[in-house]
Amino acid sequence: MNNVLIRGRVLTFVAEPNGIDDTSSYRYVEDGAVLVREGKIAAVGSYGEVSKAAGAGHSVADHRPNLVLPGFIDTHLHFPQTQAIASYGAQLLEWLNTYIFVEEQKFARTAHAAGVADRFMDELLSNGTTTAVAYCSVHSQSVDAYFAAAEARGMCVIGGKVMMDRNAPEQLRDTPQRSYDETKRLIAKWHGRGRARYAISPRFAITSSPEQLEMSRALVAEHPDCYVQTHLSENRDEIAFATSLYPRAKDYTDIYARYGLLNDRTFLGHCIHMSDREVGALAETGAVAVFCPTSNLFLGSGLFDAARFDKLGARWSVATDVGAGTSFSMLETMDEAYKVLHLQGQRLTPLNSFYRMTRGNALALGLERSIGSLEAGSDADIVILDARAKSAMEYRMHTATSLAEELFILQTMGDDRCIDEVYVSGKPMKTKVRRKSALASRTLETA
């Protein structure tokens, strides 16, 4: 593996920012460098110091005047929904039945699953995302396709087969025993293989019977180092339906608690309409609420109340939630997160936005020693950001006077065009994706 010295304006977070310009929360080097050796970060600091210490035998990737940050981390997506983005006019339950369950049936075909997984990973990389936590379909071959596509690119990903045995089309239903058997086999095959990690994935209480949630409980007990992912309190009709199916539960959150599914490796998508008791249960168990702003707005689900989670001591992360989420871009996601919180009188500073996309999400996953920061010994997953990539941004940057202002311009106006390059384990990836896309376009033109 080639050794490379990545030069640019280096920014990495060391703590959660408190305020609009909390300089103690980050390290910033105007003419900085990240030395990569064998896929790991070997040194970080000023270009002069790091290049001198590096010695001979490395190439230099000069990205000045762009920013060098850790790769973005997305904690909730659905890879089988890649071609279902922009499905018009429905809220959650209708949207699932009209569009998503139809789309996911295609993943019974191995070739289709492999093709979508390939495109999914390229879209992530084009948008600067180097780590993703995703749901696959009910089909085991979709899980194989997901992890194989990530492995081919060297990416750190988490994912799993959705478990669902009711309230879905027959073609998408498994059984409690089959979901257990297939999940166990997939854990043995993929969890801990390279950079892959498995997430036990009962889709949500509506599509899992009590018997299947019992199987989920058994899997969690047998594989405590695996993650758990499901959905919680996204939509009021969903909440009413879920609680009607589990009448003994105190509330929606208690359904999962009764089956032992809440722990510090559990990621709960959405968490919008929750009582203080429910948020307190997440705080007590360490489970993570996942804020998906573009999805929540697109489906008309509601507004995530980050301040209440902070007040009650519950953890939360941020995610795109493709395909109800309308973009693979974490920049565009944080733009909408800012607006969602602003509507509720809450502040999301630019520093906090970029902290959440990097170190914050890494901490939520318990992977802060390997991803989410630019520290010696970490995996060399890096994104290069160009705040002048669009003409309107370039013009706006003439009046920017601080790092925080530049970050807010990136967050508010940015998209995949601002991703100048992406490194996965030290390998440049976006250039490869661009070439691949150009080749595909030429092939279509001549076909």
Side-chain angles (χ1 to χ4, degrees), residues 138-159:
V138 74
H139 313 97
S140 292
Q141 55 265 40
S142 75
V143 182
D144 290 335
Y146 171 78
F147 282 120
E151 185 175 68
R153 294 160 176 78
M155 296 171 67
C156 172
V157 298
I158 299 163

Side-chain angles (χ1 to χ4, degrees), residues 121-129 416-417 419 422 430 433:
M121 297 301 168
D122 284 349
E123 289 293 339
L124 290 175
L125 293 172
S126 289
N127 285 279
T129 297
D416 62 308
R417 287 168 287 185
I419 311 301
V422 181
K430 184 156 184 178
V433 172

Side-chain angles (χ1 to χ4, degrees), residues 220-221 223-224 226-228 260-268 282 285-288 315:
V220 172
H223 304 280
C226 284
Y227 293 90
V228 181
L261 300 181
L262 300 184
N263 62 49
D264 62 2
R265 298 175 77 81
T266 298
F267 282 71
L268 301 158
L282 269 58
T285 59
V288 180
R315 301 194 298 156

Side-chain angles (χ1 to χ4, degrees), residues 273-292:
H273 309 287
M274 296 176 67
S275 67
D276 284 355
R277 192 213 75 78
E278 292 179 278
V279 177
L282 269 58
E284 183 178 347
T285 59
V288 180
V290 187
F291 178 19
C292 305

Side-chain angles (χ1 to χ4, degrees), residues 27-49:
R27 296 191 186 117
Y28 173 72
V29 185
E30 180 70 24
D31 186 8
V34 180
L35 177 63
V36 177
R37 287 180 177 152
E38 303 301 320
K40 300 282 187 180
I41 295 175
V44 182
S46 71
Y47 174 73
E49 293 173 349

Side-chain angles (χ1 to χ4, degrees), residues 62-64 66-67 126 128 383-387 389 415-423 429-431 434:
D62 193 344
H63 291 288
R64 292 176 298 169
N66 295 336
L67 286 165
S126 289
V383 62
I384 311 298
L385 297 179
D386 179 4
D415 55 28
D416 62 308
R417 287 168 287 185
C418 298
I419 311 301
D420 186 58
E421 185 56 275
V422 181
Y423 294 86
M429 302 300 291
K430 184 156 184 178
T431 302
R434 288 192 190 107

